Amino acid sequence: MTETIERALRAIKFDADGLVPAIAQQHDTGEVLMVAWMNRDAVQVTLAEGIGCYWSRSRGKLWRKGESSGQTQRLVEFRLDCDGDTVLLLFDQEGVACHTGRRNCFFRAWRDGAWQEIATPLVAPETLYGA
Amino acid sequence: MTETIERALRAIKFDADGLVPAIAQQHDTGEVLMVAWMNRDAVQVTLAEGIGCYWSRSRGKLWRKGESSGQTQRLVEFRLDCDGDTVLLLFDQEGVACHTGRRNCFFRAWRDGAWQEIATPLVAPETLYGA
């Protein structure tokens, strides 16, 4: 790891599991695309390669966004909050961010006493991940 | 708790500590204001009162945003992600969201190998919280 990236990492306060939540936001529209988790290695890859890389808690491994689906994220800016325990990633998102094929993951809204779907898939998940 | 809010809560997957991360976003500009944590009670208050209410992990109690500072959040929409484990709150934020007096908490950006402050306080913290 380069000394420069070590310096970036020193400001980030990882939790007891070595993780921080990371918000992915489309840089020009402000759309919140998804939230995932990063460990030190994911931060390093994201900064070094300029892409969205996370720690998959379910699979227990690093996950370069788009490695299966082709829906990659090009890093525009890496930001950190006042407490150093949450990351905001500004990206240019290729295609869709959500595994359901929707542009973003926050497609359920609480309206009139019920969860309503406010976005539809732009691409079928089978197209993204195979049948 | 009303049956309606019980229905909202059933879709949310709280973690082992009974919490979910909540992103607060300014509804019209898309600015990500802050990230905090919600437990069941915080979700209930947020929906019932139409304000931003969180669980303070450091103080171990419910926290109605603005109760000390006056910088309240009026709820515009409550959204939930595909996995049900992250909440996106669209607000109209009164004043500033960050305890440092900045409009939002993500004022540190990694540029040219260093953390740079990209926003300045709009109000002194002493004005918000007293000396």
Side-chain angles (χ1 to χ4, degrees):
Chain A
M1 195 178 307
T2 70
E3 209 283 313
T4 304
I5 290 179
E6 279 288 358
R7 204 159 57 234
L9 283 164
R10 274 199 291 274
I12 303 174
K13 292 185 193 130
F14 296 92
D15 70 11
D17 296 321
L19 301 174
V20 285
I23 305 158
Q25 183 179 34
Q26 175 65 26
H27 73 101
D28 47 2
T29 64
E31 180 181 10
V32 175
L33 297 165
M34 56 180 277
V35 170
W37 294 81
M38 300 180 99
N39 62 2
R40 290 175 59 90
D41 289 345
V43 172
Q44 191 207 340
V45 170
T46 294
L47 288 175
E49 301 182 12
I51 60 161
C53 180
Y54 307 97
W55 176 257
S56 169
R57 296 179 299 172
S58 57
R59 287 175 286 164
K61 62 172 201 166
L62 276 190
W63 156 49
R64 285 170 171 80
K65 174 71 179 169
E67 63 190 8
S68 304
S69 66
Q71 313 296 287
T72 53
Q73 298 176 324
R74 183 179 63 79
L75 185 66
V76 174
E77 188 152 272
F78 191 111
R79 294 186 188 165
L80 186 62
D81 78 344
C82 51
D83 296 325
D85 61 3
T86 309
V87 158
L88 177 64
L89 304 165
L90 303 188
F91 284 125
D92 195 19
Q93 170 74 50
E94 174 72 27
V96 299
C98 184
H99 75 287
T100 65
R102 292 172 177 87
R103 173 73 179 172
N104 76 66
C105 295
F106 295 92
F107 57 84
R108 288 189 281 177
W110 184 252
R111 294 180 182 173
D112 304 324
W115 290 109
Q116 300 192 16
E117 294 201 356
I118 59 172
T120 51
L122 303 179
V123 53
E126 309 87 72
T127 305
L128 293 174
Y129 301 100
Chain B
M1 194 177 305
T2 68
E3 209 281 315
T4 304
I5 290 179
E6 280 287 359
R7 204 159 56 232
L9 283 163
R10 274 199 292 275
I12 303 175
K13 291 186 193 129
F14 297 92
D15 70 13
D17 296 320
L19 301 174
V20 284
I23 305 158
Q25 182 179 34
Q26 174 65 26
H27 73 100
D28 48 1
T29 65
E31 180 181 10
V32 175
L33 299 164
M34 56 180 277
V35 170
W37 294 81
M38 301 181 99
N39 62 3
R40 290 175 58 90
D41 289 347
V43 172
Q44 190 207 340
V45 171
T46 294
L47 288 175
E49 301 182 14
I51 61 161
C53 180
Y54 307 97
W55 176 256
S56 169
R57 295 179 300 171
S58 56
R59 288 175 286 163
K61 63 172 199 163
L62 274 191
W63 157 50
R64 284 170 172 79
K65 174 72 180 168
E67 64 190 7
S68 304
S69 66
Q71 313 296 286
T72 51
Q73 299 177 324
R74 182 179 64 78
L75 185 67
V76 175
E77 188 151 273
F78 192 112
R79 294 186 187 165
L80 185 61
D81 78 342
C82 51
D83 296 325
D85 61 3
T86 309
V87 159
L88 177 64
L89 304 165
L90 303 187
F91 284 124
D92 194 20
Q93 170 74 50
E94 174 71 27
V96 299
C98 186
H99 75 286
T100 65
R102 292 172 178 86
R103 174 71 179 170
N104 76 68
C105 296
F106 295 92
F107 57 83
R108 288 189 280 177
W110 184 253
R111 294 180 183 173
D112 304 323
W115 289 109
Q116 301 193 14
E117 293 200 357
I118 59 171
T120 51
L122 303 178
V123 54
E126 308 87 72
T127 306
L128 293 175
Y129 301 101

